[in-house]
Amino acid sequence: MKLTLKLTTYSKLVLLIIGICSLFLMLFLSLYLYTVQQEDDVFKTNSNQYKSEISRLFDFNSKMQIVTINDLTYWDALVNFAKSRDMAWYDSHIANEFPTYEVDYIGVYNLEKVNIAKSSNAYFKSNNFIPIRAMMHLYKSKFSRFYLRVPEGVIEVFGGTIHATNDPKKVKTNPSGYFFTARLLDKQYFKNLEEICSSKIQFLDKVGKDTIGNKKVSSVIKLRDADNRVVAKLLFQRPSHLNFEKTKELLLIIVIATLISLIAAIYYSRKWVYRPLRLITTILESDREISISLLKREPGEFGYIGNLFEDHRRNRFQLEKSKEKAEESDKLKSTFLANLSHEIRTPMNAIIGFSDLLMDDKLDEEFKKKYLKIINTSGKSLVSIIEDLIEMSKIDAKQIAPKFKGLNIEKCLNELYNTLKVTIPDDKNIKFYQLENSAKLPNDVLTDEIKLKQIIVNLLTNAIKFTDSGHVAFGYNICPNNDFLEFRVEDTGIGISEKDLKVIFDRFRRVEDDYSISLSGLGLGLSISKAYVEMLGGEITVESVFGGGSVFKFTIPLRYDETAHEENDTLPEIAYNESEGKTILVAEDDNINFLLLKTILEKKNHIVLRAKNGQEVVDISASESNIDLIFMDIKMPVLDGYEAFEIIKKDNPDRIVIAQTAHSSSEVKESIMKAGFSGYITKPLDKEKIFELINQVFQNNSIT
């Protein structure tokens, strides 16, 4: 490369002429050596192919006899003949059919190796020529093919043991006798075989000296007896028809090479000088990509210049693309932040506004209830928005992994149906039902129950939200190949336009129209659903007609739960008694959260104590023996909830401790229950759930 860069164009032309002259000499020598070597290689290849062909054709020539003896030797009537020696049967069924077998001899022997019947052609006089050792070998092998010399010449012998019809593979029963056929390797045999393989065939000991060493491909077949000794050898020969004496063609090649060399000299003088300079001029004038590509192919310094042009063009393109992506990202970010601000301010406006109205002492009791209900609903909406943001951030950080366990799909869908049907607003004329599925699952399916439910809930919630009349339905079916379950959620709502279908699963993207603007949401529900589906190993798709409804479909792998487990569908009902007047220790460092929980607990006349950090919880639990229950905040100073719980349980294993946390993810809930807490509640606190949980733990001492 460095040497090429230093040479002038004239030097390159001189080197080209020297190279062409050298090429002539090398070409002629190479052609001559190649011809000699090719002739030898082709002859060897033909010989090897010929030997393989002859071996297959020789075996094929005996195929009919092999099939015949295999068919005859598992025959109930022949088994009976070997025992009864009924010659009338033999004459009728074997001797009469002898001409059709295309053999010269048939012999039947009993297990004592005595011939009990035979048939042969008139010219075949040999008798009892089958060796005893051949029958001994045949007893083990069930079938044999070997060659013998008899007075008539060399014969090919086929042998098989006699078995009943129900033992075609000859492995269930012991032989009842032996059945042999033989054919003479005579002129007719060789004539037929020569026609099949297009070769001249002779016994090797009869080959004339003048045929050995000629340009013929040949193959030798060794004929062996039952003891694997060579009885005779057959020589197969065929002319090779090789002809490499084509001097005129070689001369023509040399002439053509000369013409090509002259043309090449003219072509390369233009290519190395004129064409590269023209390409550089074109690139500088128009920046055409094809010109850069052509310049890169040029040898030497011009190719290097072409690479520089391409790098410059690629860097400029990347800068433009990065600028566009940055602008798009900034725009999407601004849109999202504006949407986030709007969605958070909407419930916050209701909470703050109606809280302010509640401060009016003259406010009617009916309006107070109405305002409190609005505040409660707005608070739940705000929590939902925050949970979606947290869930999306966990997905991005890859902090969520599916937890697979057995799930009864039918039961799961029924629970979702019963839960969601009561949430449909009364002002919507919607028929809500499950789709029928003819094929039922025989067993529980391995999947993540929480994520599967969340996917279906997200899709059904959207369907109900965007449907005012008609129906919303959901169900599943088994894919034809039994590898996947396909879930389906369909509605007759407003539908989705074709352009919106392309971005509906993108994060922070919402379908913006007059209808959707009136509804709240960050546009994360479908993004979370798509991420969950992909975690479970499936895919999600949507089909929709604008104004005619939508159909969402997603798949999960169909893997059955093979682990044995006890069915416990019917849990005994627990008669809860209202627990009141208990001494409860609340571990909470936040004053407002403590005040809320204390107020809720005192409604049931409970005595409430407080600990502001984990160490205080441990100290108070150790000093106060009359504490009935501890509400343990998981995130506290000094000692966190887990550490404090471990110390308390070590000193007092029977102490009832309920965890309270602001985290609502399934992973946190699982870790809480795994640690051994009697139960858990999540913030924001719901007084009814708190009372129900207290009743349960005092009934059972644990929540399972």
Side-chain angles (χ1 to χ4, degrees):
M1 178 69 180
K2 293 182 179 179
L3 179 61
T4 306
L5 290 173
K6 293 178 181 179
L7 291 176
T8 64
T9 304
Y10 175 76
S11 300
K12 293 178 182 178
L13 293 175
V14 172
L15 287 176
L16 176 62
I17 295 171
I18 295 173
I20 291 172
C21 293
S22 301
L23 178 64
F24 291 155
L25 296 175
M26 293 177 61
L27 181 61
F28 183 79
L29 180 60
S30 298
L31 287 172
Y32 177 79
L33 295 176
Y34 175 80
T35 302
V36 174
Q37 182 63 39
Q38 189 73 0
E39 183 178 15
D40 186 50
D41 291 344
V42 171
F43 183 81
K44 288 180 180 179
T45 302
N46 286 349
S47 296
N48 292 334
Q49 290 178 346
Y50 181 74
K51 290 177 182 178
S52 176
E53 176 187 343
I54 291 303
S55 177
R56 292 195 300 268
L57 291 174
F58 184 77
D59 291 337
F60 177 79
N61 191 46
S62 303
K63 191 70 176 179
M64 180 177 178
Q65 284 68 32
I66 293 172
V67 172
T68 298
I69 202 163
N70 282 333
D71 288 343
L72 292 175
T73 52
Y74 59 96
W75 188 6
D76 292 337
L78 188 59
V79 172
N80 295 333
F81 171 73
K83 297 176 181 178
S84 65
R85 302 186 184 185
D86 183 0
M87 293 307 296
W89 179 90
Y90 177 85
D91 292 338
S92 174
H93 293 82
I94 301 296
N96 287 345
E97 300 295 329
F98 177 78
T100 64
Y101 297 146
E102 297 184 6
V103 294
D104 299 303
Y105 170 83
I106 290 179
V108 182
Y109 292 75
N110 60 19
L111 289 179
E112 288 74 29
K113 303 173 182 62
V114 176
N115 181 262
I116 58 177
K118 73 180 184 67
S119 300
S120 62
N121 289 327
Y123 54 82
F124 194 86
K125 303 298 184 182
S126 296
N127 191 20
N128 292 330
F129 54 84
I130 305 297
I132 299 297
R133 290 180 60 81
M135 298 186 199
M136 294 171 62
H137 291 319
L138 182 59
Y139 188 88
K140 296 179 181 179
S141 64
K142 312 302 181 185
F143 172 80
S144 63
R145 172 190 172 197
F146 56 91
Y147 298 85
L148 294 174
R149 281 190 180 273
V150 296
E152 290 81 1
V154 179
I155 61 172
E156 184 178 30
V157 182
F158 302 90
T161 53
I162 300 172
H163 292 262
T165 305
N166 62 357
D167 189 17
K169 294 185 178 180
K170 303 182 179 181
V171 294
K172 298 179 182 179
T173 59
N174 292 323
S176 300
Y178 308 97
F179 190 92
F180 288 95
T181 63
R183 62 174 176 173
L184 185 63
L185 274 61
D186 54 9
K187 293 182 179 180
Q188 185 61 38
Y189 173 88
F190 285 118
K191 181 180 179 182
N192 293 337
L193 190 55
E194 285 176 348
E195 290 178 356
I196 293 174
C197 60
S198 302
S199 302
K200 181 67 177 177
I201 307 172
Q202 308 175 64
F203 281 109
L204 194 59
D205 54 357
K206 296 181 181 180
V207 177
K209 292 183 179 180
D210 57 342
T211 64
I212 300 176
N214 291 342
K215 281 293 183 180
K216 297 180 180 180
V217 287
S218 60
S219 177
V220 176
I221 299 293
K222 296 179 180 180
L223 308 180
R224 300 178 182 273
D225 61 12
D227 292 322
N228 205 33
R229 293 174 299 190
V230 178
V231 174
K233 298 179 181 179
L234 295 181
L235 176 65
F236 294 74
Q237 287 186 323
R238 180 193 295 165
S240 63
H241 302 296
L242 293 176
N243 181 14
F244 283 85
E245 304 299 323
K246 298 185 177 181
T247 308
K248 292 182 179 180
E249 292 182 4
L250 292 177
L251 292 174
L252 180 61
I253 291 173
I254 294 174
V255 172
I256 294 173
T258 304
L259 294 174
I260 292 174
S261 299
L262 292 173
I263 296 171
I266 299 172
Y267 171 76
Y268 281 105
S269 65
R270 289 180 59 83
K271 178 178 179 180
W272 287 343
V273 180
Y274 178 75
R275 185 180 174 189
L277 291 176
R278 287 290 298 172
L279 289 173
I280 291 174
T281 304
T282 304
I283 293 168
L284 293 173
E285 290 175 350
S286 62
D287 193 28
R288 294 178 60 190
E289 183 179 2
I290 188 171
S291 299
I292 296 175
S293 178
L294 292 172
L295 185 61
K296 281 177 55 184
R297 299 175 189 175
E298 298 297 329
E301 64 272 20
F302 292 113
Y304 178 69
I305 293 171
N307 287 325
L308 292 177
F309 275 124
E310 184 181 54
D311 291 341
H312 174 73
R313 190 174 189 275
R314 186 188 302 114
N315 292 336
R316 191 175 72 249
F317 176 75
Q318 288 295 337
L319 286 173
E320 292 174 354
K321 191 174 181 181
S322 299
K323 180 184 176 184
E324 291 176 0
K325 290 183 71 174
E327 290 174 350
E328 182 182 359
S329 177
D330 185 62
K331 182 179 179 182
L332 184 60
K333 179 181 177 182
S334 299
T335 303
F336 166 67
L337 290 175
N339 189 32
L340 176 62
S341 175
H342 172 268
E343 294 300 329
I344 290 179
R345 285 176 181 274
T346 299
M348 284 300 297
N349 179 60
I351 293 170
I352 295 172
F354 284 102
S355 297
D356 185 56
L357 292 176
L358 285 172
M359 294 180 183
D360 185 0
D361 295 335
K362 299 178 181 180
L363 188 65
D364 187 71
E365 190 67 29
E366 182 180 350
F367 282 102
K368 285 184 180 180
K369 291 181 180 179
K370 182 179 179 181
Y371 295 166
L372 287 171
K373 186 176 180 181
I374 293 172
I375 292 171
N376 183 269
T377 302
S378 299
K380 290 179 180 178
S381 298
L382 187 60
V383 170
S384 176
I385 291 171
I386 295 171
E387 286 182 347
D388 279 353
L389 285 171
I390 294 172
E391 195 72 9
M392 202 71 251
S393 66
K394 286 184 177 180
I395 291 172
D396 289 338
K398 301 187 183 303
Q399 294 179 351
I400 298 179
K403 294 178 175 58
F404 294 102
K405 62 180 181 179
L407 174 65
N408 186 321
I409 297 296
E410 295 286 345
K411 183 179 178 182
C412 173
L413 296 187
N414 288 335
E415 289 175 355
L416 291 177
Y417 171 76
N418 293 326
T419 302
L420 291 174
K421 70 178 180 180
V422 299
T423 66
I424 300 175
D426 295 334
D427 59 344
K428 287 182 179 281
N429 183 22
I430 298 176
K431 183 180 180 183
F432 183 53
Y433 60 91
Q434 293 189 62
L435 299 170
E436 291 294 331
N437 181 24
S438 57
K440 301 298 181 183
L441 293 168
N443 200 357
D444 290 355
V445 175
L446 279 176
T447 189
D448 188 314
E449 178 181 359
I450 294 175
K451 291 178 176 55
L452 178 62
K453 283 184 175 180
Q454 188 63 49
I455 296 166
I456 299 174
V457 168
N458 285 349
L459 297 179
L460 285 174
T461 302
N462 274 352
I464 294 170
K465 183 189 297 184
F466 291 100
T467 303
D468 288 331
S469 63
H471 74 269
V472 173
F474 70 105
Y476 77 95
N477 59 67
I478 303 173
C479 293
N481 54 8
N482 290 327
D483 289 339
F484 287 90
L485 282 181
E486 182 183 73
F487 292 85
R488 178 186 181 98
V489 175
E490 62 179 49
D491 64 70
T492 56
I494 63 173
I496 306 166
S497 65
E498 187 175 349
K499 67 179 181 65
D500 290 324
L501 283 175
K502 299 176 182 178
V503 299
I504 195 168
F505 292 110
D506 292 351
R507 296 171 187 184
F508 314 124
R509 300 291 289 265
R510 295 179 59 197
V511 177
E512 299 293 345
D513 54 32
D514 293 339
Y515 188 90
S516 61
I517 288 174
S518 64
L519 302 173
S520 63
L522 289 177
L524 288 176
L526 289 178
S527 300
I528 294 173
S529 298
K530 183 175 184 291
Y532 280 171
V533 170
E534 292 172 351
M535 279 185 200
L536 299 181
E539 295 180 350
I540 186 168
T541 58
V542 59
E543 299 173 3
S544 183
V545 177
F546 187 66
S550 305
V551 178
F552 284 83
K553 299 177 184 177
F554 70 92
T555 60
I556 62 170
L558 178 54
R559 295 193 296 268
Y560 291 108
D561 181 15
E562 303 296 339
T563 58
H565 57 277
E566 295 182 0
E567 294 292 337
N568 190 19
D569 292 336
T570 57
L571 294 174
E573 293 186 0
I574 300 174
Y576 294 118
N577 295 321
E578 291 291 337
S579 299
E580 298 185 4
K582 303 292 183 181
T583 300
I584 299 176
L585 173 60
V586 176
E588 176 61 71
D589 60 315
D590 185 82
N591 293 330
I592 295 176
N593 287 337
F594 169 73
L595 178 61
L596 174 61
L597 185 54
K598 178 176 180 293
T599 305
I600 292 173
L601 294 175
E602 287 179 345
K603 286 182 176 293
K604 294 293 184 180
N605 300 320
H606 296 303
I607 301 171
V608 180
L609 307 177
R610 183 186 182 186
K612 295 184 178 181
N613 59 59
Q615 187 60 54
E616 285 188 17
V617 181
V618 174
D619 296 340
I620 295 174
S621 176
S623 61
E624 299 287 342
S625 60
N626 62 336
I627 293 175
D628 298 303
L629 171 67
I630 298 176
F631 272 98
M632 180 77 74
D633 189 17
I634 294 299
K635 188 176 181 181
M636 288 189 300
V638 186
L639 296 176
D640 66 24
Y642 291 109
E643 294 170 332
F645 174 78
E646 187 176 351
I647 296 172
I648 291 171
K649 279 293 187 179
K650 188 180 295 184
D651 296 336
N652 191 346
D654 297 329
R655 181 75 77 200
I656 301 174
V657 183
I658 294 175
Q660 56 169 328
T661 176
H663 299 286
S664 60
S665 66
S666 59
E667 289 79 7
V668 173
K669 294 176 183 177
E670 186 176 344
S671 65
I672 288 173
M673 299 310 295
K674 193 173 182 180
F677 285 87
S678 299
Y680 66 88
I681 56 172
T682 58
K683 300 172 184 177
L685 301 176
D686 185 317
K687 67 177 186 298
E688 297 301 330
K689 290 183 179 179
I690 292 174
F691 295 150
E692 181 181 356
L693 182 59
I694 292 174
N695 289 334
Q696 288 180 359
V697 296
F698 281 120
Q699 288 286 336
N700 306 326
N701 258 358
S702 64
I703 299 298
T704 57

